Amino acid sequence: DADAVSWSIRRDTLVIFYLLYSFMSSNGNGVPPQAPVSSSDAKPAAAAGMKRPPSDDNSQQQLSEKKLRRLEKNRLSARECRRRKREATEHLEREINVLEGENLRLRLQLQVRFRMFKY
């Protein structure tokens, strides 16, 4: 299935970019660099606009796993949505064909009756 292959390639690409970004933003030891904070610049995480500061590598790993699970779930939802849309379109096309056939039959029937009453 071409659609499944395409999504598989996109997922693999996303994972590669994520790993590359993680590596590039680290100091070489797997830990992202942090800017030095002076005591006058220190703000609580909520005031700085962050939801919650990451506490350690484990929480970052859980966050990335959570994000990847969410992305996979979103992909599956999008695939299912496209499948339902395709099925609905096919159903409407079949219904159009039936109605066009019925319309043609009724027009022919009408022409026959006009000719019968004309003579």
Side-chain angles (χ1 to χ4, degrees):
D1 184 36
D3 198 32
V5 171
S6 175
W7 282 112
S8 175
I9 291 170
R10 288 180 186 167
R11 183 188 66 234
D12 293 345
T13 304
L14 179 66
V15 170
I16 289 169
F17 278 127
Y18 176 78
L19 292 173
L20 182 61
Y21 174 76
S22 298
F23 177 76
M24 295 299 288
S25 62
S26 70
N27 290 327
N29 58 3
V31 179
Q34 295 186 357
V37 178
S38 67
S39 59
S40 62
D41 293 335
K43 295 181 185 177
M50 295 173 49
K51 290 183 180 178
R52 190 181 311 172
S55 59
D56 58 0
D57 288 338
N58 190 24
S59 66
Q60 289 179 353
Q61 182 180 4
Q62 286 177 348
L63 181 64
S64 66
E65 288 174 3
K66 192 174 187 180
K67 184 181 275 191
L68 289 174
R69 280 195 308 269
R70 184 173 40 87
L71 289 172
E72 183 63 28
K73 186 176 178 183
N74 189 28
R75 277 190 211 101
L76 292 173
S77 291
R79 184 180 302 151
E80 183 66 19
C81 180
R82 285 190 301 273
R83 184 191 62 77
R84 285 193 310 265
K85 184 177 180 181
R86 186 171 45 248
E87 286 178 357
T89 301
E90 290 170 356
H91 173 73
L92 289 174
E93 287 173 349
R94 286 190 301 269
E95 191 173 337
I96 286 170
N97 289 334
V98 168
L99 292 173
E100 284 177 343
E102 185 178 352
N103 192 11
L104 179 62
R105 183 184 60 79
L106 290 172
R107 285 177 186 262
L108 291 173
Q109 186 179 8
L110 187 61
Q111 284 179 357
V112 168
R113 291 193 180 176
F114 270 132
R115 288 185 184 158
M116 285 176 49
F117 289 115
K118 190 174 184 181
Y119 298 110

